[in-house]
């Protein structure tokens, strides 16, 4: 099949991490549903389904047309972790199906797809990066985008817990156990990767060019870990006795994750002010900015669920504030996306128009 040159160019240069658009839109949608204008949340749910379908089509074409480029991305420490957004986006859309439509079958199908993607991509990416012979130094090779691997695991834990509440025994017991295992494994992975990122911040030079928006995933990975833990706490009284026996442990580690994510917030905001305000990096649209929107929305949702599961009503104002911050951040980034698409369409159309002139 012959594809237009313009479409081939878009597909060729499509970053693996572009599914962060679906992650960000999905979690901001859920935040608005529970904390802000519910009608906006539902509209974003439908819009996110379209985003997912378009990106799945474009990435599918990329795999068919440019398999070597996709394989090269897999071995690249900057691009490779972006494949984890495929897992997280699929799971977040599945959670939306439960929250907005009670579409259990659709959510189960998305969980199955996300689980397959996780089993394939997790070990493909980490194996490819480990066996790469020419490796970058730590300061050039690691960034906050690596923590999307944690987000992928925790998004599976969240969707699994959602579905556990819909199913009867023994499936409910098995799903709760799977969610617990994923949650704990995700925290373990965060401790490994987070330590390396912290070390990179404080023992290597930081420049505006390498202080990327994806470093916000350092907070977002802990926020989604808070959400997964909070949901396990909520479900500890519904058909999973071993979760009830672990409740003090679940509560302690959930607060641990929330406290860590909260600690990151001021520091990341200061870094952003330094990068754009003091060092003059322009605020122009880049796909990586969806990796900033997602943590803001996730912090709002995670704080709300922690408050509900543990009776911490004094944290509710923070959840509401970050819901609206996330909505504004999403809107600004979406405008940038629309302008980028409009600019690309003009470049594709102008040569044709001038030829007829």
């Amino acid at each position: 099949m012959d594809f237009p040159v313009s479409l081939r160019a878009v597909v060729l240069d499509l970053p693996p991490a572009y599914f962060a658009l679906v992650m960000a839109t999905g979690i901001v949608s859920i935040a608005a549903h529970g904390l802000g204008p519910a009608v906006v949340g539902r509209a974003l749910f439908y819009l996110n389904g379209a985003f997912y379908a378009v990106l799945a089509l474009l990435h599918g074409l990329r795999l068919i047309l440019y398999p070597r480029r996709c394989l090269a991305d897999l071995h690249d420490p900057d691009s490779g972790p972006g494949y984890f957004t495929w897992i997280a986006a699929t799971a977040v859309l599945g959670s939306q199906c439960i929250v907005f439509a009670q579409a259990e079958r659709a959510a189960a199908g998305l969980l199955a797809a996300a689980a397959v993607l996780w089993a394939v991509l997790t070990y493909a990416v980490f194996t490819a990066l480990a066996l790469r012979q020419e490796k970058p130094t730590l300061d050039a090779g690691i960034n906050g985008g690596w923590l999307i691997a944690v987000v992928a695991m925790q998004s599976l834990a969240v969707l699994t817990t959602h579905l556990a509440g819909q199913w009867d025994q023994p499936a409910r017991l098995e799903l709760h156990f799977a969610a617990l295992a994923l949650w704990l494994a995700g925290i373990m992975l965060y401790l490994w990767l987070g330590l390396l990122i912290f070390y990179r911040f404080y023992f290597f030079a930081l420049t505006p060019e390498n202080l990327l928006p994806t470093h916000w995933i350092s907070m977002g990975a802990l926020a989604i870990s808070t959400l997964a833990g909070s949901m396990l706490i909520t479900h500890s009284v519904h058909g999973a006795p071993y979760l009830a026996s672990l409740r003090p442990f679940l509560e302690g580690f959930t607060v641990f994750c929330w406290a860590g994510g909260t600690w990151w917030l001021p520091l990341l905001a200061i870094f952003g002010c330094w990068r754009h305000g003091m060092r003059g990096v322009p605020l122009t649209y880049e796909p990586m900015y969806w990796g900033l929107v997602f943590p803001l929305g996730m912090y709002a949702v995670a704080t709300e669920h922690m408050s509900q599961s543990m009776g911490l009503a004094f944290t509710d104002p923070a959840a509401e504030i970050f819901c609206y911050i996330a909505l504004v951040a999403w809107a600004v980034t979406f405008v940038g996306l629309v302008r980028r698409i409009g600019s690309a369409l003009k470049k594709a159309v102008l040569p044709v128009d001038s030829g007829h002139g």
Side-chain angles (χ1 to χ4, degrees):
M1 184 180 294
D2 190 23
F3 295 97
V5 174
S6 56
L7 177 60
R8 283 179 172 270
V10 169
V11 169
L12 176 63
D13 296 328
L14 187 67
Y18 226 124
F19 265 110
L21 165 62
V22 176
M23 294 166 53
T25 305
I27 200 60
V28 171
S29 169
I30 293 172
H33 174 75
L35 295 161
V39 64
V40 172
R42 182 164 291 276
L44 290 178
F45 166 52
Y46 295 121
L47 184 62
N48 210 30
F51 287 159
Y52 187 88
V54 170
L55 285 170
L57 176 62
L58 291 177
H59 280 293
L61 288 174
R62 192 170 190 263
L63 286 169
I64 294 170
L65 297 175
Y66 305 106
R68 292 185 178 179
R69 183 66 175 269
C70 295
L71 189 61
D73 286 338
L74 195 70
H75 289 78
D76 188 330
D78 288 327
S79 302
Y83 281 108
F84 292 119
T85 63
W86 297 21
I87 307 164
T90 304
V92 168
L93 184 61
S95 292
Q96 282 186 284
C97 289
I98 294 291
V99 171
F100 288 97
Q102 293 75 50
E104 179 186 326
R105 291 185 178 179
L110 288 166
L111 175 61
V116 171
L117 287 171
W118 179 83
V120 173
L121 291 176
T122 294
Y123 295 101
V125 171
F126 281 119
T127 299
L129 294 177
L131 298 181
R132 174 188 167 114
Q133 295 304 303
E134 296 181 4
K135 296 180 181 179
T137 57
L138 180 64
D139 60 319
I142 196 164
N143 57 68
W146 281 61
L147 289 169
I148 300 175
V150 176
V151 175
M153 295 183 73
Q154 302 294 19
S155 64
L156 277 172
V158 169
L159 180 53
T160 301
T161 307
H162 268 305
L163 282 171
Q166 308 291 319
W167 292 3
D168 296 325
Q169 301 291 13
R172 177 181 294 184
L173 183 69
E174 295 163 355
L175 287 175
H176 277 142
F177 180 80
L180 175 65
L182 286 165
W183 179 63
L184 292 173
I187 292 174
M188 175 196 69
L189 188 58
Y190 185 93
L191 294 175
W192 292 345
L193 295 175
L195 178 62
L196 293 175
I197 292 169
F198 192 87
Y199 183 83
R200 187 263 173 273
F201 273 167
Y202 290 98
F203 293 93
F204 295 93
L206 284 175
T207 66
E209 291 72 27
N210 58 38
L211 199 57
L212 301 173
T214 49
H215 282 298
W216 278 80
I217 302 294
S218 300
M219 182 272 282
L222 285 171
I224 194 171
S225 299
T226 302
L227 174 61
S230 297
M231 292 183 67
L232 287 170
I233 292 168
T234 301
H235 283 242
S236 65
V237 295
H238 300 296
Y242 65 93
L243 283 184
S245 68
L246 290 173
R247 180 157 181 159
F249 170 80
L250 295 174
E251 291 181 345
F253 253 86
T254 297
V255 174
F256 167 81
C257 293
W258 182 85
T262 303
W263 182 89
W264 271 113
L265 271 169
L267 186 64
L268 292 167
I270 291 168
F271 284 165
C273 291
W274 176 79
R275 183 175 190 256
H276 298 290
M278 299 179 64
R279 302 306 296 267
V281 176
L283 272 170
T284 55
Y285 174 79
E286 293 294 340
M288 67 183 69
Y289 277 104
W290 293 113
L292 184 155
V293 176
F294 172 79
L296 295 173
M298 182 54 72
Y299 186 81
V301 175
T303 302
E304 179 201 16
H305 275 263
M306 185 183 70
S307 170
Q308 293 176 351
S309 67
M310 299 171 62
L312 304 176
F314 57 86
T315 64
D316 289 344
E320 294 173 5
I321 290 169
F322 272 90
C323 171
Y324 285 97
I325 291 175
L327 281 168
V328 171
W330 184 91
V332 171
T333 310
F334 182 69
V335 169
L337 171 62
V338 171
R339 293 179 65 181
R340 174 68 61 87
I341 293 173
S343 177
L345 289 175
K346 284 182 180 179
K347 290 180 180 178
V349 170
L350 281 177
V352 176
D353 291 343
S354 60
H356 289 285

